[in-house]
């Protein structure tokens, strides 16, 4: 009688967890029975030291890699006209983070943007942009594929209603508007095609495809702002600096532009630094804020910076941060001293009579002296 070999599929009938390899796979310990004259093959015992070393190597290989920050300021200070606008600014902005620069008028918010652009040097401290000094990559030519660098949108400018240049042409100016000369026909066809595709791509990104071919003078304020943001993004920057992009926009357009910038940060990986007066339209999209006041600065997450305690310490005077039922933040400072209101006409009338009386008295004295 011949002896048939046992099934090689294990107790489960397939090549599963206890099949033809036992607990791992192919020739299992509970699957195949040994033939007569054969000894059962046993797996070598695991070495605890080797297993621990393997686990350490695996943990190191799977550990997340910390990306380098795109912007850093360490003890930065700036002076304009012999006056220190702010000092001791410490800030770190990572890739894809949304940062707002807040504070009252005249504290140097736009000046901070100029420092990051390399237009204005710092009086103290260190500033790094994309791993180098500010402005180091400003003059470098970059292809649409390579990307990198800094995009910039200055304070809002209005286009006259009679401006006939199309929105798509305004966006294209951000790509090659700094080049001289006229394109030569039949040369650089692939480059021009790539440029057209990039312009169309960024217009679609900001949601302006429906009116990009209209004259920009006939677009609304919110539509113009979307096209200008597309112009700043067309070269695929790693950092986008915006100086009060929500100024002069109504509340619906402010919310729409804030949502667009938040989406650009988190989906495109672009780090956005934006100057703003009101934090409420962008509050839900922010990763951190920089609050400038009284020559100092506070930086960090919004929940840590925009508080009564922090702003009171920054301003050196009692400041209260209130939250409305809709979630909006309201910053309330100490009431101003009461003004003394007087009747200027009455004061002038009283002063005139006093002067006349003094003249009459002086004239009488003169007469007495002469007599």
């Amino acid at each position: 009688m011949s002896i048939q070999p046992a099934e090689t599929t294990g107790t489960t009938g397939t090549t599963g967890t206890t099949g033809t390899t036992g607990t791992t796979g192919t020739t299992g310990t509970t699957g195949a029975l040994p033939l007569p004259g054969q000894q059962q093959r046993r797996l070598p015992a695991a070495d605890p030291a080797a297993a621990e070393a393997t686990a350490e190597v695996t943990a190191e290989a799977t550990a997340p890699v910390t990306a380098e920050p795109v912007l850093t300021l360490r003890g930065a200070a700036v002076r304009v006209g012999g006056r220190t606008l702010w000092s001791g600014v410490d800030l770190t902005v990572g890739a894809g983070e949304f940062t707002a620069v807040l504070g009252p008028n005249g504290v140097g918010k736009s000046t901070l943007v100029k420092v990051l652009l390399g237009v204005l040097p710092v009086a103290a401290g260190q500033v790094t942009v994309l791993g180098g000094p500010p402005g180091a990559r400003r003059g470098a030519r970059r292809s649409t594929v390579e990307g990198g660098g800094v995009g910039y949108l200055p304070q809002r400018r209005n286009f006259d209603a009679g401006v006939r240049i199309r929105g798509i042409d305004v966006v294209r100016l951000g790509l090659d508007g700094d080049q001289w000369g006229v394109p030569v026909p039949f040369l650089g066809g692939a480059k021009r095609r790539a440029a057209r595709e990039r312009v169309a791509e960024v217009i679609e990104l900001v949601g302006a495809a429906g009116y990009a071919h209209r004259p920009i003078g006939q677009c609304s304020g919110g539509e113009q702002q979307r096209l200008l943001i597309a112009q700043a993004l067309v070269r695929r920057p790693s950092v986008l600096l915006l100086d009060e992009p929500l100024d002069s926009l109504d509340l619906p357009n402010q919310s729409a532009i804030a949502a667009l910038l938040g989406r650009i940060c988190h989906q495109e990986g672009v780090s956005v630094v934006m100057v703003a007066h009101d934090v409420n339209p962008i509050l839900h999209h922010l990763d951190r804020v920089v609050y400038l006041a009284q020559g100092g600065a506070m930086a960090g997450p919004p929940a840590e910076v925009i508080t009564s305690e922090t702003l009171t310490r920054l301003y050196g005077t009692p400041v209260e941060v209130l939250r409305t039922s809709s979630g909006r933040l309201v910053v309330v400072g100490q009431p101003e001293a009461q003004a003394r209101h007087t009747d200027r006409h009455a004061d002038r009338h009283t002063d005139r009579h006093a002067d006349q009386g003094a003249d009459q008295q002086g004239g009488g004295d003169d007469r007495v002296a002469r007599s």
Side-chain angles (χ1 to χ4, degrees):
M1 182 178 64
S2 62
I3 299 176
Q4 297 295 330
E7 291 291 332
T8 59
T9 56
T11 57
T12 59
T14 60
T15 58
T17 58
T18 59
T20 56
T21 65
T23 56
T24 58
T26 24
T27 57
T29 58
T30 61
L33 296 177
L35 294 175
Q38 292 183 341
Q39 293 183 351
Q40 186 173 358
R41 187 178 178 183
R42 295 183 179 276
L43 295 176
D47 185 358
E52 184 177 355
T54 303
E56 292 179 357
V57 173
T58 304
E60 293 178 359
T62 58
V65 178
T66 303
E68 291 292 329
V70 296
L71 296 176
T72 57
L73 289 88
R74 293 290 178 266
V78 68
R79 294 177 61 85
V80 177
R83 182 171 67 96
T84 300
L85 292 183
W86 39 260
S87 61
V89 177
D90 294 314
L91 174 65
T92 300
V93 178
E97 288 188 345
F98 195 166
T99 303
V101 182
L102 307 171
N105 291 327
V107 297
K109 299 188 299 295
S110 298
T111 302
L112 178 58
V113 174
K114 293 179 181 178
V115 168
L116 296 176
L117 287 170
V119 176
L120 188 66
V122 291
Q126 296 180 346
V127 180
T128 303
V129 178
L130 297 175
R137 305 179 67 178
R138 184 177 50 186
R141 290 292 303 159
R142 302 182 306 275
S143 67
T144 59
V145 177
E146 179 186 6
V150 178
Y152 173 53
L153 179 60
Q155 289 189 8
R156 179 168 167 74
R157 57 187 186 273
N158 294 320
F159 292 93
D160 189 84
V163 176
R164 303 301 301 172
I165 183 172
R166 300 178 303 170
I168 189 173
D169 299 321
V170 172
V171 176
R172 178 65 183 263
L173 287 174
L175 187 64
D176 53 15
D178 57 347
Q179 297 182 7
W180 291 88
V182 179
V184 179
F186 310 111
L187 291 179
K191 184 178 179 180
R192 288 199 299 271
R193 183 167 56 253
R196 288 195 301 268
E197 291 175 354
R198 176 55 185 166
V199 170
E201 177 185 357
V202 76
I203 287 176
E204 186 68 28
L205 174 65
V206 302
Y211 46 84
H213 290 272
R214 295 208 317 249
I216 196 167
Q218 297 180 6
C219 297
S220 67
E223 293 171 346
Q224 291 180 6
Q225 198 70 333
R226 286 178 180 267
L227 290 167
L228 292 175
I229 292 174
Q231 183 192 73
L233 289 171
V234 71
R235 289 192 183 181
R236 304 181 189 272
S238 299
V239 180
L240 180 61
L241 305 177
L242 305 106
D243 196 352
E244 300 186 16
L246 306 184
D247 190 29
S248 301
L249 296 181
D250 55 18
L251 289 179
N253 275 311
Q254 288 183 6
S255 299
I257 296 297
L260 169 63
L261 294 174
R263 181 163 55 87
I264 290 172
C265 278
H266 303 136
Q267 294 184 7
E268 302 296 320
V270 179
S271 300
V272 173
V273 178
M274 186 182 89
V275 174
H277 282 289
D278 186 7
V279 70
N280 290 293
I282 57 177
L283 181 62
H284 300 296
H285 307 283
L286 292 179
D287 297 300
R288 64 185 67 247
V289 299
V290 181
Y291 213 108
L292 302 177
Q294 302 293 325
M298 292 288 181
E304 297 179 4
V305 175
I306 310 178
T307 65
S308 300
E309 295 77 10
T310 302
L311 296 186
T312 295
R313 184 168 62 253
L314 181 62
Y315 277 96
T317 187
V319 175
E320 189 173 1
V321 178
L322 307 176
R323 186 179 293 272
T324 67
S325 58
S326 61
R328 293 177 62 85
L329 293 179
V330 180
V331 179
V332 182
Q334 188 178 27
E336 298 179 357
Q338 294 184 355
R340 186 177 68 88
H341 298 281
T342 59
D343 187 350
R344 293 177 298 172
H345 301 286
D347 292 342
R348 189 181 302 113
H349 181 73
T350 303
D351 293 340
R352 184 168 61 250
H353 278 281
D355 293 339
Q356 291 176 356
D359 292 340
Q360 291 177 359
Q361 183 177 1
D365 293 340
D366 291 339
R367 288 192 297 271
V368 171
R370 286 195 299 270
S371 61

